[in-house]
Amino acid sequence: MIHLSTFFAIYVKFFFIMTPFFVTTIFLSMTKGIDESDKKRLAVKVTLAISITCLIILFFGKYIFELFGITLDAFRIGAGALLFLTAVDLVQKDINAEPTCKADILKHAVVPLAIPVTVGPGTVGALMVMGADMDGFEDLILGSSALLVAIFSIGLLLYLSGHIERLIGRTGLVVFSKVTGLVLSALSAQLIFTGIKNFLH
């Protein structure tokens, strides 16, 4: 039961940190006019790219602390600040990406859809902090499993983006993006407060 609640808590954090509804909105805007089958193939490519990128950051990000001599709490504060800027951006801006031609978007699945739209600077910072917090093999397995399930959830949103758009409309997706921004601001504040508390102690 403890493992299940921890898994769910990590899953929710990862899911919201990657701003799923914002990513879905951008995906729909950039794939406007593309066949549904091509859109689904692109969703699979983007999901794989996000998975590989996030796992590399989660497992190897902590070595950057050792390389540059950065303390984990200092990085918590920095990552929290970046996440907060992302949250403010989500709440304030109008999401209206320009459609991209079919050849370009199918060729460049990793950039910009995987990086930096889904895995932006704030996400990278949060993943590095969470990876450094995971002590032992069991924690890494639990954390990486929750991360992969969160990425799969986002991939499912992209795969079914056409149906979701018809169900709740583009306006509904924008509203969900702004709600995600509010959750993200709370997560960023928690990161900053934890970093400051640990530094003072």
Side-chain angles (χ1 to χ4, degrees), residues 109-183:
V110 176
V111 180
L113 284 172
I115 306 168
V117 173
T118 308
V119 187
T123 306
V124 171
L127 282 169
M128 288 173 68
V129 168
M130 290 179 183
D133 273 337
M134 292 173 186
D135 297 322
F137 182 74
E138 188 177 347
D139 285 347
L140 281 173
I141 292 297
L142 188 67
S144 57
S145 300
L147 172 63
L148 287 173
V149 174
I151 293 170
F152 176 78
S153 299
I154 293 171
L156 193 61
L157 282 176
L158 299 182
Y159 194 82
L160 301 174
S161 58
H163 300 290
I164 293 170
E165 185 181 26
R166 286 192 290 273
L167 183 64
I168 64 175
R170 190 65 60 92
T171 303
L173 281 169
V174 171
V175 169
F176 278 121
S177 295
K178 294 186 183 300
V179 172
T180 301
L182 293 174
V183 176

Side-chain angles (χ1 to χ4, degrees), residues 49-94:
I50 295 169
S51 301
I52 294 167
T53 304
C54 287
L55 285 174
I56 289 172
I57 295 167
L58 188 72
F59 286 127
F60 301 106
K62 60 184 176 182
Y63 297 111
I64 294 177
F65 300 135
E66 298 172 8
L67 182 65
F68 292 103
I70 303 170
T71 65
L72 180 57
D73 291 316
F75 207 88
R76 272 197 184 97
I77 296 169
L82 283 173
L83 275 180
F84 184 74
L85 291 175
T86 303
V88 171
D89 200 34
L90 276 178
V91 172
Q92 287 186 341
K93 76 177 181 181
D94 293 325

Side-chain angles (χ1 to χ4, degrees), residues 30-42:
M30 295 184 71
T31 56
K32 189 175 181 180
I34 292 178
D35 296 337
E36 194 66 28
S37 58
D38 289 327
K39 200 179 286 190
K40 288 180 177 179
R41 277 201 301 272
L42 179 61

